[in-house]
Structure formats: structure tokens, C-alpha cells
Amino acid sequence: MESLVRSAALTGYPELCRAVGIDPGALLRGAGLDLPGLADQDTWISASAVAQVLEASADASGREDFGLRLAELRRLSALGPVSLLVREEPDVRSVLELLITYERMYNEALRASLDEAGDLATLRISLDLPPSRRIRQAVELVLAAYHLILDDFLGDRLRPRQVCFTHRAPADLETHHRVFATDLRFGAGFNGIVLARRALQVPNTEADPVLRRYARQYVESLAKETGSSDAEQVRKVMEVLLPAGRCTASQVARSMGIDRRTLHRRLEQSGRTFTSLLNATRVDLAPRFVADTRRPLAEIAPLLGFTAAGAFSRWFRIQFGVSPSQWRSEQ
């Protein structure tokens, strides 16, 4: 199944692109994404497409530190509901274990682990993306995001001892030194952060045990929903593939790691059909696209899988009772 990530992963992306003199809209379209889609941080988008757009942006800007600079614009809220619980965890070990336990609630491609040996603790990260995909910028973005969280809790008390990267060192290390402020090791055997084991015991002095209990109940309930039904998973994949013009039953099934016959059988067991889910996904996406007055109406039809603007207009009138242009003017 294609891994998805919250669009909050690209928080600050348009602003950073303009700061380094590149066009965010064109780069996003090249990866099958779009600028209006980043407005809602809770939207799930293709993790592979995010990695692609980060690499393309680094190439276009000539900035090998693009992923790190983007990480500097992130806030804890990029984790979504999990961020509510992070602030109430009693110590650094609990924070890291929480992020690892619920990683699929904010990034389905992320694989993190915490290893403890002797007086060292190592946070290892990897990204479950196609081997053909360049992921340097995505790796640095994730490592920087983790490091910034650790820095928030540890401050100057017990800073991480080393940050490791499997890729080569960039020509200019200024941003890396600013973001990590610790020993950097490139060409390492893993991507991760090494810190003193006792740093895991550093308490969170602002944690509220009562709030933690309520926050954990809330996050756990959401996590159960994240282990969603087949129909809900199909909806997520459709939202990714529709704007890219690749939302056929075969392509959805391939993204989920199953064949088309299995896809139809699972949907039938859920009491749904591929066609009904496709229509429901279009009904959900269409108002968002039409409401964006910066987007010409003629561009919306292919984003929803329609081959002609007329077909889209007829479908929209059936669903919403008015034409797309009238709906936009009334809003």
C-alpha cells in the first residue's frame, strides 16, 4: 500500500520556495500535488510525492539544506493530534516512545526505533519508500524534526552527542551546524540521533498528569480509527491518486498492495463499491477545489478524474444543485 503523510509535513513549503527563488506551484504539480491542498494540514498526501518534491526543490534552488530549512519552519502541531500528548509526557523517553508508537498517525512511511546500550541511546529512523526514490531531503527533514523536539525538552542540559546520516556530506555545512549544533557523521551505517542514555530520564517539568490521561484517551481513540476499514483506506488512496489522474481500480489496488479482484471483494464485504467511494471522494474534494478562486474552473475537472469540463459540470450540478461557477459566486 502506498504510504501517506499528513500535508503538515510541508508546513512552510511555499514560503521557503519563494525565499530561495523557486516556484512552489510548479514543483508541487510535478509531483502530483497542488498548493491549495497544503492549506489543510490534516489532509493525507503521498509520502513518495513529498520526497520527490523535496528533492526537486533542492535541485531547483541549488540548496542542499532545503529539507533542514523546511524543518526550521515546523511546529509541534505538525504531528496532529499526537502533539496534544507530547507536551504532557513525563520524560524524554516517554516522548520518544510515544512518537514511535503513534508514528502512523502522522507519517505512514516513517519507521523509528529506540535502542539503548551501555550509556548510549540511539534513535534510528528510516523511510519506507520505493528504492528508486531519492530521499536525502526527506531524511534530513525527519531527523531535524526529531532533533528540534529533543532540543525543546533537553535544552542545553544534555544535548544529543551525534547525528548520523547514510548520505554524503553537503558542500556547505552551515545550516546543519545551526540546526543540530552537535557532532555530525556522514556516510554512517544508519540515519539517527545518538544521545546519552541518561538524557532519556530528563523530566518534563511542565507535564500535567491529569491532562495526559485525557489526551492519551483521545489519541488512543483516534489511533483505533486510524486502523481504518478497507473502505476508509481506499478513500485515502483515492484522495492521493485523483488529482494525479491515476484513480482507476487497478491503480488503487496496486497502491494498496493487492490485486483489483481482492479490492472489489473487500469493498463488497464493507457494503461499498469502488464507484460509490469514488463518487464520495469527489463530493468531498470538489467544494475545496471550486472554493479556491485562484484555481480556474477548467483545471478542476481533471483533478477529479473527469476527461472533460462539461462532464464535470453536469456531475457537479447533480451533486450540489448548481453549476460550479454559480456555487463559487454564492460562496
Side-chain angles (χ1 to χ4, degrees):
M1 184 188 301
E2 181 171 359
S3 297
L4 306 178
V5 61
R6 295 181 72 250
S7 61
L10 291 176
T11 296
Y13 176 77
E15 293 78 10
L16 177 56
C17 284
R18 296 183 184 110
V20 297
I22 55 178
D23 180 6
L27 289 162
L28 287 167
R29 287 192 294 273
L33 303 174
D34 62 45
L35 205 53
L38 301 186
D40 182 0
Q41 291 195 333
D42 291 320
T43 299
W44 287 84
I45 58 179
S46 164
S48 184
V50 169
Q52 178 183 339
V53 80
L54 290 176
E55 295 296 335
S57 301
D59 292 342
S61 63
R63 299 299 303 255
E64 289 185 286
D65 61 354
F66 191 89
L68 292 188
R69 288 165 63 93
L70 187 61
E72 291 183 292
L73 302 177
R74 286 169 66 102
R75 297 180 179 178
L76 190 60
S77 59
L79 298 175
V82 176
S83 64
L84 300 174
L85 188 50
V86 168
R87 288 290 184 192
E88 310 308 331
E89 289 301 293
D91 53 42
V92 172
R93 176 184 277 105
S94 297
V95 169
L96 292 178
E97 290 176 346
L98 170 79
L99 294 174
I100 293 169
T101 299
Y102 294 111
E103 60 191 17
R104 292 185 68 80
M105 289 186 66
Y106 54 90
N107 187 341
E108 293 181 345
L110 179 60
R111 302 290 182 269
S113 63
L114 182 63
D115 304 325
E116 300 178 50
D119 63 349
L120 295 179
T122 304
L123 175 68
R124 300 171 184 264
I125 74 105
S126 62
L127 295 175
D128 185 14
L129 294 173
S132 59
R133 180 72 65 205
R134 289 193 296 156
I135 61 172
R136 173 184 181 133
Q137 299 301 321
V139 165
E140 294 202 346
L141 172 63
V142 171
L143 275 177
Y146 267 114
H147 192 276
L148 290 170
I149 292 173
L150 286 171
D151 190 57
D152 193 27
F153 284 95
L154 295 175
D156 294 325
R157 291 175 287 182
L158 285 168
R159 301 188 66 84
R161 295 186 178 182
Q162 190 176 64
V163 178
C164 301
F165 309 89
T166 58
H167 52 257
R168 61 172 177 78
D172 184 353
L173 284 170
E174 179 183 355
T175 305
H176 287 74
H177 286 308
R178 182 180 71 244
V179 171
F180 296 110
T182 191
D183 180 40
L184 303 173
R185 181 185 173 196
F186 293 89
F190 67 96
N191 295 303
I193 301 172
V194 181
L195 60 161
R197 192 171 185 177
R198 57 195 177 97
L200 301 179
Q201 301 171 6
V202 171
N204 176 11
T205 57
E206 298 181 4
D208 185 326
V210 177
L211 283 178
R212 183 193 184 212
R213 185 172 70 250
Y214 288 124
R216 185 168 285 276
Q217 290 174 351
Y218 173 62
V219 171
E220 287 177 351
S221 68
L222 291 179
K224 292 178 181 177
E225 294 177 13
T226 304
S228 52
S229 67
D230 290 319
E232 290 168 333
Q233 292 181 39
V234 170
R235 280 286 299 269
K236 282 187 177 182
V237 175
M238 283 180 169
E239 288 184 2
V240 173
L241 296 182
L242 257 179
R246 297 185 288 120
C247 195
T248 65
S250 296
Q251 288 161 332
V252 170
R254 188 179 304 115
S255 294
M256 296 178 66
I258 57 178
D259 58 43
R260 187 173 66 175
R261 187 171 300 177
T262 301
L263 171 67
H264 287 302
R265 185 176 67 252
R266 289 185 181 180
L267 290 179
E268 184 179 353
Q269 292 171 348
S270 301
R272 305 299 296 270
T273 65
F274 184 86
T275 301
S276 68
L277 283 177
L278 178 60
N279 192 68
T281 305
R282 284 171 167 165
V283 168
D284 184 48
L285 294 178
R288 302 187 212 172
F289 292 157
V290 176
D292 180 12
T293 56
R294 297 169 298 178
R295 187 194 301 276
L297 290 174
E299 292 183 1
I300 297 176
L303 292 177
L304 293 173
F306 292 97
T307 56
F312 164 61
S313 294
R314 288 191 293 274
W315 172 86
F316 192 94
R317 184 180 291 277
I318 292 172
Q319 301 298 324
F320 299 98
V322 294
S323 68
S325 58
Q326 185 178 347
W327 191 93
R328 174 176 283 183
S329 65
E330 289 177 353
Q331 298 306 304

